[in-house]
Amino acid sequence: MLAIPREAITGLVLAGGRGQRMQGQDKGLLLHRGRPLVQHALDRLAPQVGPMLISANRHLPAYRSFGTPVCSDTMPGFPGPLAGWLSALQACRTPYLASVPCDVPGLPLDLVARLARALHQADADIAMARTPEREQPVFALLRHELAPSLEQALARGERRVLGWALEQRMAVVAFADAAAFRNLNTPADLDPSPADTNG
């Protein structure tokens, strides 16, 4: 029995950044093993949640072509993941939002279930992943009711995910496999060839 039903959780793939370390390219649309990075994230997250959203601020028709609703920041200037969360919370119609970035193609398939269990058991407002080295703040599950707090934080200039999250009732979930959270940050990290090239 799931602590929180899948249907009560909207999945969000964050793809709204500047892509500065990708030479300004729109990271979610770059190919890795023959598919756009955002498609890898959608495929890994979709079985874990109910409805899905993509947060994007550029090339919106391209993102809509994946068949998933797209929401954009309501604040100008690419203010970061917190702004993506806010627009998604305003758009979603479920009690919970599960967030992942677009640049981690191997994200855990049990991510949301484990975050949901921790959030439920701790009666927390947000559950966040942690690997042995550090927190993974954009891998998170948060309650819809956090939208006003998030809006206020952004209005006062907060841009750090962990900075805002620590103000909430937070549960942290330890994941031993740091490799599952490896993000592809630079063009050299990408493998643009299809995965079945030799098959």
Side-chain angles (χ1 to χ4, degrees), residues 3-4 96-97 113-128 140-143 146 169 171 173:
I4 300 170
Y96 301 92
L97 180 73
R114 293 182 60 185
L115 293 176
R117 191 178 311 119
L119 187 144
H120 179 73
Q121 290 175 349
D123 191 26
D125 291 320
I126 181 169
M128 182 179 293
L141 177 70
L142 49 159
R143 295 183 187 268
L146 289 177
R169 294 183 301 169
V173 182

Side-chain angles (χ1 to χ4, degrees), residues 59-162:
H59 307 110
L60 302 186
Y63 281 108
R64 292 190 186 104
S65 73
F66 294 99
T68 297
V70 177
C71 56
S72 298
D73 295 350
T74 56
M75 301 177 66
F78 297 89
L82 288 181
W85 280 3
L86 179 60
S87 64
L89 287 171
Q90 292 169 338
C92 82
R93 298 292 177 263
T94 60
Y96 301 92
L97 180 73
S99 161
V100 302
C102 69
D103 60 356
V104 180
L107 67 92
L109 294 173
D110 62 350
L111 173 74
V112 177
R114 293 182 60 185
L115 293 176
R117 191 178 311 119
L119 187 144
H120 179 73
Q121 290 175 349
D123 191 26
D125 291 320
I126 181 169
M128 182 179 293
R130 191 186 196 289
T131 52
E133 296 80 16
R134 64 184 186 90
E135 282 80 14
Q136 300 287 343
V138 293
F139 292 87
L141 177 70
L142 49 159
R143 295 183 187 268
H144 194 278
E145 289 90 344
L146 289 177
S149 168
L150 183 51
E151 189 169 18
Q152 292 164 12
L154 283 161
R156 69 170 185 262
E158 180 63 80
R159 297 294 181 265
R160 298 166 302 128
V161 173
L162 196 55

